[in-house]
Amino acid sequence: MPDAHSSSPVPTPDSPRPLLVDLHTDALYEHIRGRKDITQRSDEGHLDFPRMKDGGINGQVFAVWVSPTELKPGEYRDFALKGADTFDEVCGRCAESVAPVRTPDEFRQTTASGRIAAVLGVEGGHALEGRLENLDRFFERGVRVLTVTWCNSNELGDSSGDKNKPHNGLSSLGRQAVRRMNELGMIVDVSHSADKTVFDILDASDAPVIASHSGVRARRDFNRNLTDEQIRAIGAHGGVIGVVFLSYFLRDPEAQASIEDVLDCIDHICQLVGPDHAGLGSDFDGFEGALPGLEDATKMGAIGAGLRKRGFVESDIAKITGFNFLRVWDAVADRAS
Ligand SMILES: [Zn+2]
């Protein structure tokens, strides 16, 4: 297991282009629901393929959120699989600029060719319908990231959004699911998980994990944000934390946050565990409104510029804006049996 403070090699490299990777957007979900066309430029919402290109985003995890209220049990898995079909369809329609990728090598080849590497995720472990074989089914369909819980607790474990904690963390099925994800080479995402669930996942997983879209609790006391102890544990496990762009996670509800708060969260994570464990997790199209300075996907380059202004060195900026995610995916893929 990598140490949080090990001096990993400067990620120059095998990628001739700088990476700009976002760990979480709901744009695909919005497309599936017919509320946007992700292939077309729009002024609505935050993210579509043309605006990603303008903003220089060349790696993106697209989450299929599985609504536990609009759908019923028995419909969850099929909705996620339908999302995988839509993912392939929209990427196929824009093959000159976007490619679905299933391995870190495909990710590298795609970004090196100047295209956007699109990674498929599922948000909400209830999509498994309580059956581990659905993990294998998802993996076959290209899913490479699973967010263990959404705001609801499910068969796998407790959510931060659930006052009742029916499992006291990760359930025994959840523990098996994490191990199976390790075997498959699927990235485990701890965002939304309850505090104890996060620690239980780290205990169960022998590959690094991500928190795809979370804030920092030391800066804003909110159950969706990570405590310093969690940040240290995720870092010690070799993982990466995508800092969310949602004002409500960054400042008290009555205050308006801005890009500076995102930079503050990145800075906080780096102070605690070094530059190898911070990343970007916009949650674009997963919330209303816009964060000043990071209004939509076209503004993504402002993160690197902001970090530079704060004195971050180029090699650390490169890690935070993309290479940390690729390092985690490499480790997860290497662990797969
Ligand atoms: Zn979410």
Side-chain angles (χ1 to χ4, degrees), residues 24 26 65 123 147 150 191-192 213 224 283:
H24 190 90
D26 282 335
W65 174 55
E123 184 172 21
T147 311
W150 183 63
S191 282
H192 284 286
H213 56 307
R224 271 281 282 110
D283 203 11

Side-chain angles (χ1 to χ4, degrees), residues 1-80:
M1 197 176 300
D3 182 89
H5 303 287
S6 63
S7 56
S8 61
V10 173
T12 41
D14 46 2
S15 172
R17 288 170 192 266
L19 293 183
L20 189 49
V21 181
D22 177 28
L23 274 55
H24 190 90
T25 177
D26 282 335
L28 180 66
Y29 173 80
E30 292 296 297
H31 180 104
I32 295 165
R33 299 313 301 255
R35 292 198 278 253
K36 74 184 299 162
D37 181 346
I38 199 171
T39 68
Q40 300 297 316
R41 182 185 305 278
S42 167
D43 295 331
E44 308 273 305
H46 304 125
L47 183 142
D48 46 57
F49 294 159
R51 279 189 286 175
M52 289 174 72
K53 205 164 168 50
D54 289 355
I57 300 174
N58 55 3
Q60 179 72 58
V61 180
F62 289 95
V64 179
W65 174 55
V66 178
S67 170
T69 52
E70 291 173 28
L71 300 165
K72 295 188 204 59
E75 298 174 338
Y76 301 154
R77 184 200 66 172
D78 290 347
F79 184 86

Side-chain angles (χ1 to χ4, degrees), residues 171-185:
S171 69
S172 72
L173 185 74
R175 193 164 277 272
Q176 292 173 55
V178 168
R179 292 205 188 107
R180 185 63 192 144
M181 290 170 74
N182 288 164
E183 287 167 6
L184 289 167

Side-chain angles (χ1 to χ4, degrees), residues 170 174-176 178-179 182 199-207 237:
L170 196 65
R175 193 164 277 272
Q176 292 173 55
V178 168
R179 292 205 188 107
N182 288 164
F199 290 112
D200 288 351
I201 289 170
L202 289 169
D203 185 54
S205 178
D206 51 15
H237 219 80

